[in-house]
Amino acid sequence: MALTPLARLGALAVRRSGAVLLTALFLFLGLGVYAAGAQADLDLARWDAPGSESVEAARALREDFSTGNPNLALLVTARGGDIDDAATARAARALAAEVAALPHVTDTHTYWSGQSPALRSKDGSRGLILARLEGTATETRAQLAELSPRLTRTTPELVVQVGGQEEISRQVGEQARADFLTAEALVLPAVVLLLILVYRRTAAALITVGTGLLSVVATLAGLRLLAQITPVSTFAANIALVLGLGLGIDYSLFLITRYREERAAGHPQPQAVVRATGAAGRTVVFSGVTVAVSLSALLAFPFFFLSSFAYAGILVVLTAIGGAVLVLPAALARWGHRMERATPPAASGLWHRTALRALRRPVLSGAAVLGVLLLAGSPLLGLRFGLPDERTLPAGTSSRTTSEIVHREFAAEPTDTVQVVVPAPVDRSALTAYAAELARLPGVFGVEPPAYGKSGAALLAVVPTQRAMYGDVPAFVERIRTADGPPGVLVGGYPAETTDFRATLLDRLPLVVGLVLTATFVILFLLTGSLLLPAKATVLNLLSLSVMFGCLVYVFQDGHFASVLGFTPTGSIEPSIPVLMFCVVYGLSMDYEVFMLARIKEEYERTGDTERAVVAGIRRTAPLITAAAGILALSFAAYATGGVVFLKELGIGTALTVLVDATLIRLVLLPVTMRLAGRANWWAPGPLRRLHRRFGLSEEPRLAEAPDGVLQREYA
């Protein structure tokens, strides 16, 4: 009988190993050159939600008023201590004229042009110049990269510092790129060392890392290619590095371990490669599908920032699987003898012994671990979502320092002005009454005199107090939106944009969670033919996720270990990063679930004894899963050394959850729940059993060596 597709692929890799490896080398070099320019083609994003009221307001501001959010702020300090001094005022007006003459600056607003109290510090020693740079986020921040050093200056009259939302975002992007390079420099040597310790063979470690790096460069090249037709976020490169390396290593570990087992069973090297590819390859494919499905759910959000992570996840899975089932078998065919252990590993180890002890007392062990997980996840009950600010950056960063001075010394926050567009026709008396009502709202410092657009529409600039911008911003925006005013009013500006972004994100969140849970449930059913096992896997994954969210709240929201980790807590969590982490971590948790359940199912189909199958499955997979989890956790944890709080959250939260999932969940709770359920683990109603027999993953026929040495299929 013919070999299965994956076994045929393994056989092809064995027969054409030289050609496969040479092609992989050329691809690695060629894609590496192309991927090196990926960052230049990737885009930056703003906090806006397509189709929202704030986006409509931004369009009206741009088309009717030729203006928009003031995204460049110059903090001007009078060296003589008085911004109203004649010489200081002349120098400030000259600076404002210089800014107004810059390319892409559509308008400026200064203290010296209108004597607005919102633009003057409380002690009169500082004033603000606000400007609008027109363009996309990528274009604007590229301009600021050149303008910021030029505008930062000290003269006999003035000290000038650059700030504003675009400058903060630009520096976040720069810091993230630096963190990317630092993480890469830290991770690679440490991963190689760990793999040498795991394999006890340098060749196996180097080939495994090479497979991961091939996935990384292929993913970055794919992202650059995608960026030619659709926006792709620069932050997708960060996830490409850590996931590409992590999954490439995970899948290689799994395949090489299976190859070693086949060799230890006495199979010749070529046959062992084909057998390992046929058996482990199908598990790798199912595992990859779970990760890709989880990250694909991010496409349900209308933000290219999150969609970019979905693109990266899909590309990572495709390239990691390709490397594991084609390139790695070719390497095993050539150098497999250098990856084998001289003596087989012991049949027991720390986690194997732990699992056996747990199986002897399943109720007690399960209850103890469940209690630990619930305690670790309990801070989740205090989760508060908030909006990002300058504290995303490390202390001492120039734009953060500028924002902190404005927050401390100014009564108002004019860089966060809420723009209220009143459509034409405008009744002047009604507009005056509406402006007066807005000025009386809690959190409003003042309302600027109305400006009128080309169509006759009016613009009211509502300047918030500092306290309002460091409090409940969505509630502040909602008060403005629900104020009694003319029909058709549009409320925009940075506070409204971030509010709409958060609202759209949270509105779509139930859909995304439902998609992830349903899709992974179906995948596990196709793997196991059971309804109970996918249901238990869902519950166990949610338990591990509760630990992740508990960590985010305890550390990043409430500020525990903030001084050690080098960040400033804000008392809330920006919601897009936890959503991203949910999709990433849920997929990785299912990754390990598939590894373990596939082996347990294989043993169960061979013996028909659930408990023996669980013990055998743990013995085979426990060292593999703990090693893979340790390496993946190290890859994510490298981002804890970075300066951007978002990346610290992603790194620490994901690393902790991967470790918890691979140990307490997979090696204690999963085995004890399977023992307690017994044969019920494999139950499904008749129609679903028939569906699984037709479309599900059934145990592979055993590969045997024919008398003529050619591999063929035969059923055990």
Side-chain angles (χ1 to χ4, degrees):
M1 300 177 68
L3 297 174
T4 60
L6 285 170
R8 284 201 301 272
L9 198 61
L12 173 65
V14 170
R15 289 195 308 272
R16 300 284 187 265
S17 59
V20 170
L21 292 172
L22 195 59
T23 301
L25 177 62
F26 284 134
L27 279 174
F28 181 81
L29 296 175
L31 292 174
V33 170
Y34 185 68
Q39 284 284 1
D41 284 355
L42 304 185
D43 291 313
L44 298 164
R46 292 190 173 118
W47 304 98
D48 51 18
S52 63
E53 180 180 340
S54 58
V55 169
E56 287 300 304
R59 182 191 56 78
L61 288 170
R62 186 171 55 253
E63 295 178 358
D64 207 8
F65 297 89
S66 299
T67 188
N69 297 337
N71 50 27
L72 171 62
L74 300 184
L75 176 64
V76 179
T77 302
R79 299 191 69 186
D82 182 7
I83 59 171
D84 292 315
D85 174 76
T88 301
R90 281 195 302 273
R93 290 190 186 100
L95 175 62
E98 178 186 344
V99 172
L102 291 172
H104 307 290
V105 172
T106 56
D107 60 284
T108 58
H109 186 43
T110 79
Y111 167 74
W112 296 272
S113 61
Q115 301 290 304
S116 169
L119 301 176
R120 180 182 187 274
S121 67
K122 288 177 278 190
D123 66 358
S125 66
R126 304 181 196 267
L128 285 169
I129 298 174
L130 303 182
R132 163 71 178 174
L133 279 168
E134 188 60 57
T136 66
T138 304
E139 294 165 347
T140 301
R141 292 167 201 173
Q143 295 161 25
L144 280 172
E146 188 268 329
L147 289 177
S148 184
R150 278 176 47 195
L151 295 174
T152 301
R153 64 183 67 169
T154 299
T155 70
E157 299 85 12
L158 309 172
V159 176
V160 183
Q161 297 164 266
V162 179
Q165 294 300 338
E166 285 293 271
E167 178 67 359
I168 291 172
S169 297
R170 179 186 74 82
Q171 293 193 329
V172 167
E174 283 190 349
Q175 184 68 55
R177 283 193 290 274
D179 293 348
F180 177 90
L181 296 174
T182 302
E184 191 173 22
L186 289 173
V187 165
L188 283 176
V191 164
V192 171
L193 180 60
L194 280 175
L195 285 170
I196 291 173
L197 293 174
V198 169
Y199 283 128
R200 310 290 184 182
R201 288 290 181 269
T202 302
L206 294 177
I207 288 173
T208 296
V209 170
T211 304
L213 289 176
L214 178 61
S215 176
V216 171
V217 298
T219 300
L220 289 174
L223 289 175
R224 186 181 183 186
L225 187 62
L226 273 174
Q228 311 308 312
I229 55 176
T230 187
V232 178
S233 170
T234 56
F235 285 93
N238 295 67
I239 207 74
L241 168 65
V242 69
L243 272 186
L245 196 60
L247 290 182
I249 288 172
D250 275 7
Y251 299 160
S252 298
L253 270 169
F254 196 70
L255 199 91
I256 290 175
T257 301
R258 189 60 181 250
Y259 165 77
R260 285 176 161 183
E261 291 178 17
E262 298 295 345
R263 288 290 284 143
H267 298 290
Q269 182 177 335
Q271 186 172 338
V273 173
V274 178
R275 291 175 66 90
T277 306
R282 60 203 163 92
T283 305
V284 164
V285 170
F286 262 70
S287 170
V289 169
T290 62
V291 177
V293 164
S294 294
L295 282 165
S296 295
L298 292 169
L299 293 170
F301 292 112
F303 316 118
F304 86 83
F305 169 71
L306 289 176
S307 298
S308 300
F309 290 104
Y311 305 148
I314 293 169
L315 287 169
V316 160
V317 166
L318 290 175
T319 55
I321 289 175
V325 301
L326 183 58
V327 179
L328 185 57
L332 287 170
R334 282 297 177 105
W335 304 298
H337 60 284
R338 302 178 65 179
M339 304 184 206
E340 298 162 16
R341 298 189 65 163
T343 56
S348 64
L350 172 63
W351 287 108
H352 179 231
R353 293 193 299 271
T354 301
L356 289 181
R357 283 196 293 268
L359 286 171
R360 292 188 194 105
R361 296 181 178 179
V363 175
L364 180 62
S365 302
V369 170
L370 183 61
V372 170
L373 294 176
L374 291 176
L375 178 64
S378 60
L380 170 61
L381 299 175
L383 175 64
R384 293 187 298 276
F385 286 129
L387 300 175
D389 58 37
E390 73 278 356
R391 289 170 289 183
T392 300
L393 286 165
T397 308
S398 62
S399 60
R400 172 173 171 171
T401 300
T402 301
S403 292
E404 288 172 338
I405 293 172
V406 173
H407 174 55
R408 185 172 61 248
E409 300 187 16
F410 286 67
E413 184 55 86
T415 60
D416 285 333
T417 296
V418 177
Q419 312 279 6
V420 180
V421 179
V422 182
V426 177
D427 182 287
R428 300 300 172 97
S429 60
L431 183 64
T432 301
Y434 180 46
E437 181 178 349
L438 292 176
R440 290 191 293 269
L441 293 175
V444 173
F445 178 83
V447 179
E448 299 289 335
Y452 295 93
K454 303 168 189 173
S455 68
L459 172 61
L460 296 174
V462 181
V463 183
T465 63
Q466 291 289 343
R467 187 172 182 178
M469 287 299 96
Y470 283 81
D472 190 345
V473 175
F476 174 71
V477 172
E478 185 62 19
R479 285 195 293 271
I480 294 175
R481 284 178 168 166
T482 55
D484 187 19
V489 167
L490 295 173
V491 176
Y494 183 73
E497 289 172 359
T498 53
T499 295
D500 289 344
F501 176 89
R502 189 180 85 161
T504 303
L505 184 80
L506 296 180
D507 285 347
R508 296 285 183 96
L509 184 57
L511 170 63
V512 170
V513 171
L515 288 172
V516 171
L517 297 184
T518 301
T520 51
F521 187 98
V522 170
I523 290 169
L524 279 185
F525 167 74
L526 293 175
L527 174 71
T528 63
S530 162
L531 288 185
L532 182 60
L533 289 176
K536 286 196 300 184
T538 301
V539 173
L540 294 179
N541 281 1
L542 292 177
L543 272 175
S544 65
L545 287 169
S546 73
V547 173
M548 179 183 73
F549 289 119
C551 168
L552 289 182
V553 173
Y554 186 77
V555 176
F556 293 98
Q557 176 179 296
D558 298 341
H560 296 93
F561 309 112
S563 59
V564 176
L565 294 171
F567 71 94
T568 305
T570 62
S572 63
I573 300 292
E574 193 283 314
S576 65
I577 298 303
V579 170
L580 170 64
M581 292 171 68
F582 167 81
C583 293
V584 170
V585 173
Y586 199 90
L588 294 175
S589 297
M590 281 296 183
D591 190 41
Y592 298 135
E593 182 83 12
V594 168
F595 282 174
M596 182 165 283
L597 282 182
R599 202 57 188 263
I600 291 173
K601 177 173 178 284
E602 180 179 334
E603 295 294 333
Y604 176 75
E605 291 190 350
R606 188 174 62 84
T607 66
D609 186 322
T610 297
E611 188 167 341
R612 285 181 60 189
V614 170
V615 172
I618 291 172
R619 185 177 68 250
R620 297 291 192 184
T621 59
L624 168 66
I625 287 176
T626 51
I631 292 168
L632 188 62
L634 174 66
S635 300
F636 274 103
Y639 285 111
T641 64
V644 178
V645 173
F646 297 156
L647 293 181
K648 287 182 184 288
E649 291 174 355
L650 179 65
I652 293 173
T654 306
L656 174 65
T657 310
V658 165
L659 291 176
V660 167
D661 188 85
T663 54
L664 297 181
I665 298 287
R666 301 301 151 209
L667 301 180
V668 179
L669 280 185
L670 174 62
V672 301
T673 55
M674 290 195 72
R675 179 182 174 182
L676 291 172
R679 294 187 65 85
N681 283 298
W682 314 102
W683 177 84
L688 289 181
R689 285 200 302 272
R690 290 190 291 274
L691 181 69
H692 178 263
R693 280 196 294 270
R694 182 170 182 181
F695 298 107
L697 174 66
S698 299
E699 175 56 20
E700 280 288 326
R702 180 168 55 86
L703 288 170
E705 188 175 13
D708 62 354
V710 179
L711 292 173
Q712 65 179 19
R713 288 179 72 180
E714 67 174 19
Y715 287 92

